[in-house]
CSV table of all heavy atoms in Angstrom, one decimal:
chain,number,residue,atom,x,y,z
A,78,VAL,N,-17.8,16.9,7.1
A,78,VAL,CA,-19.2,16.6,6.7
A,78,VAL,C,-20.1,17.8,6.7
A,78,VAL,O,-20.7,18.1,5.7
A,78,VAL,CB,-19.7,15.4,7.5
A,78,VAL,CG1,-21.2,15.1,7.2
A,78,VAL,CG2,-19.0,14.1,7.2
A,79,PRO,N,-20.3,18.5,7.8
A,79,PRO,CA,-21.2,19.6,7.8
A,79,PRO,C,-20.7,20.8,6.8
A,79,PRO,O,-21.5,21.4,6.2
A,79,PRO,CB,-21.2,20.1,9.2
A,79,PRO,CG,-20.0,19.5,9.9
A,79,PRO,CD,-19.7,18.2,9.1
A,80,LEU,N,-19.4,20.9,6.7
A,80,LEU,CA,-18.8,21.9,5.8
A,80,LEU,C,-19.2,21.5,4.4
A,80,LEU,O,-19.5,22.4,3.5
A,80,LEU,CB,-17.3,22.1,5.9
A,80,LEU,CG,-16.8,22.7,7.2
A,80,LEU,CD1,-15.3,22.6,7.4
A,80,LEU,CD2,-17.3,24.2,7.3
A,81,THR,N,-19.1,20.3,4.0
A,81,THR,CA,-19.4,19.8,2.7
A,81,THR,C,-20.9,20.0,2.4
A,81,THR,O,-21.3,20.4,1.3
A,81,THR,CB,-19.0,18.3,2.5
A,81,THR,OG1,-17.6,18.2,2.7
A,81,THR,CG2,-19.3,17.8,1.1
A,82,ARG,N,-21.7,19.6,3.3
A,82,ARG,CA,-23.1,19.8,3.1
A,82,ARG,C,-23.5,21.3,2.9
A,82,ARG,O,-24.2,21.6,1.9
A,82,ARG,CB,-23.9,19.3,4.4
A,82,ARG,CG,-25.4,19.2,4.2
A,82,ARG,CD,-26.1,18.5,5.3
A,82,ARG,NE,-25.9,17.0,5.1
A,82,ARG,CZ,-25.2,16.2,5.9
A,82,ARG,NH1,-24.5,16.7,6.9
A,82,ARG,NH2,-25.1,15.0,5.6
A,83,ASP,N,-22.9,22.2,3.6
A,83,ASP,CA,-23.1,23.6,3.4
A,83,ASP,C,-22.6,24.1,2.1
A,83,ASP,O,-23.2,24.8,1.3
A,83,ASP,CB,-22.5,24.4,4.5
A,83,ASP,CG,-23.2,24.3,5.9
A,83,ASP,OD1,-24.4,23.8,5.9
A,83,ASP,OD2,-22.6,24.7,6.9
A,84,PHE,N,-21.4,23.6,1.7
A,84,PHE,CA,-20.7,24.0,0.5
A,84,PHE,C,-21.6,23.7,-0.7
A,84,PHE,O,-21.6,24.5,-1.7
A,84,PHE,CB,-19.3,23.3,0.4
A,84,PHE,CG,-18.5,23.6,-0.8
A,84,PHE,CD1,-17.7,24.8,-0.7
A,84,PHE,CD2,-18.5,22.9,-1.9
A,84,PHE,CE1,-16.9,25.1,-1.9
A,84,PHE,CE2,-17.7,23.2,-3.0
A,84,PHE,CZ,-16.9,24.3,-3.0
A,85,TYR,N,-22.1,22.5,-0.7
A,85,TYR,CA,-22.9,22.1,-1.9
A,85,TYR,C,-24.4,22.3,-1.8
A,85,TYR,O,-25.2,21.9,-2.7
A,85,TYR,CB,-22.7,20.5,-2.1
A,85,TYR,CG,-21.4,20.3,-2.8
A,85,TYR,CD1,-20.4,19.5,-2.2
A,85,TYR,CD2,-21.0,20.8,-4.1
A,85,TYR,CE1,-19.2,19.2,-2.8
A,85,TYR,CE2,-19.8,20.6,-4.7
A,85,TYR,CZ,-18.9,19.8,-4.0
A,85,TYR,OH,-17.7,19.5,-4.6
A,86,ALA,N,-24.8,23.0,-0.8
A,86,ALA,CA,-26.3,23.3,-0.5
A,86,ALA,C,-27.0,23.9,-1.7
A,86,ALA,O,-28.1,23.6,-2.0
A,86,ALA,CB,-26.4,24.1,0.8
A,87,ASP,N,-26.3,24.8,-2.4
A,87,ASP,CA,-27.0,25.6,-3.5
A,87,ASP,C,-26.7,25.0,-4.9
A,87,ASP,O,-26.9,25.6,-5.9
A,87,ASP,CB,-26.5,27.1,-3.5
A,87,ASP,CG,-25.1,27.3,-3.6
A,87,ASP,OD1,-24.3,26.3,-3.5
A,87,ASP,OD2,-24.7,28.4,-3.8
A,88,PHE,N,-26.2,23.7,-4.9
A,88,PHE,CA,-25.9,23.1,-6.2
A,88,PHE,C,-27.1,22.3,-6.8
A,88,PHE,O,-27.0,21.7,-7.8
A,88,PHE,CB,-24.6,22.2,-6.1
A,88,PHE,CG,-23.3,23.0,-6.2
A,88,PHE,CD1,-22.9,23.9,-5.2
A,88,PHE,CD2,-22.6,22.9,-7.3
A,88,PHE,CE1,-21.8,24.6,-5.3
A,88,PHE,CE2,-21.4,23.6,-7.5
A,88,PHE,CZ,-21.0,24.5,-6.5
A,89,GLY,N,-28.1,22.1,-6.0
A,89,GLY,CA,-29.3,21.4,-6.5
A,89,GLY,C,-29.0,19.9,-6.7
A,89,GLY,O,-29.6,19.3,-7.5
A,90,LEU,N,-28.1,19.4,-5.9
A,90,LEU,CA,-27.8,17.9,-6.0
A,90,LEU,C,-29.0,17.1,-5.4
A,90,LEU,O,-29.6,17.5,-4.4
A,90,LEU,CB,-26.5,17.6,-5.2
A,90,LEU,CG,-25.3,18.3,-5.8
A,90,LEU,CD1,-24.1,18.1,-4.7
A,90,LEU,CD2,-24.9,17.7,-7.1
A,91,PRO,N,-29.2,15.9,-6.0
A,91,PRO,CA,-30.1,15.0,-5.4
A,91,PRO,C,-29.7,14.7,-3.9
A,91,PRO,O,-28.4,14.5,-3.7
A,91,PRO,CB,-30.1,13.7,-6.2
A,91,PRO,CG,-29.5,14.2,-7.5
A,91,PRO,CD,-28.6,15.4,-7.2
A,92,ALA,N,-30.6,14.5,-3.0
A,92,ALA,CA,-30.2,14.3,-1.6
A,92,ALA,C,-29.3,13.1,-1.4
A,92,ALA,O,-28.4,13.1,-0.7
A,92,ALA,CB,-31.5,14.2,-0.8
A,93,GLU,N,-29.6,12.0,-2.2
A,93,GLU,CA,-28.8,10.8,-2.1
A,93,GLU,C,-27.4,11.1,-2.5
A,93,GLU,O,-26.4,10.6,-1.9
A,93,GLU,CB,-29.5,9.7,-2.9
A,93,GLU,CG,-28.7,8.4,-3.0
A,93,GLU,CD,-29.3,7.4,-3.9
A,93,GLU,OE1,-30.4,6.9,-3.6
A,93,GLU,OE2,-28.8,7.2,-5.0
A,94,GLN,N,-27.2,11.8,-3.6
A,94,GLN,CA,-25.9,12.1,-4.0
A,94,GLN,C,-25.1,13.0,-3.1
A,94,GLN,O,-23.9,12.8,-2.8
A,94,GLN,CB,-25.9,12.8,-5.4
A,94,GLN,CG,-24.5,13.0,-6.1
A,94,GLN,CD,-24.6,13.4,-7.5
A,94,GLN,OE1,-25.5,14.3,-7.8
A,94,GLN,NE2,-23.8,12.9,-8.4
A,95,LEU,N,-25.8,14.0,-2.5
A,95,LEU,CA,-25.1,14.9,-1.5
A,95,LEU,C,-24.7,14.1,-0.3
A,95,LEU,O,-23.6,14.3,0.2
A,95,LEU,CB,-26.1,16.0,-1.1
A,95,LEU,CG,-25.5,17.0,-0.1
A,95,LEU,CD1,-24.2,17.6,-0.5
A,95,LEU,CD2,-26.5,18.0,0.3
A,96,GLU,N,-25.6,13.1,0.1
A,96,GLU,CA,-25.2,12.3,1.3
A,96,GLU,C,-24.0,11.4,1.0
A,96,GLU,O,-23.1,11.2,1.8
A,96,GLU,CB,-26.4,11.5,1.7
A,96,GLU,CG,-27.4,12.3,2.4
A,96,GLU,CD,-26.9,13.2,3.5
A,96,GLU,OE1,-26.2,12.7,4.4
A,96,GLU,OE2,-27.2,14.4,3.5
Side-chain angles (χ1 to χ4, degrees):
V78 172
L80 290 171
T81 301
R82 190 169 281 110
D83 290 346
F84 183 84
Y85 284 122
D87 61 347
F88 277 71
L90 297 169
E93 176 183 290
Q94 188 172 39
L95 179 58
E96 288 309 307

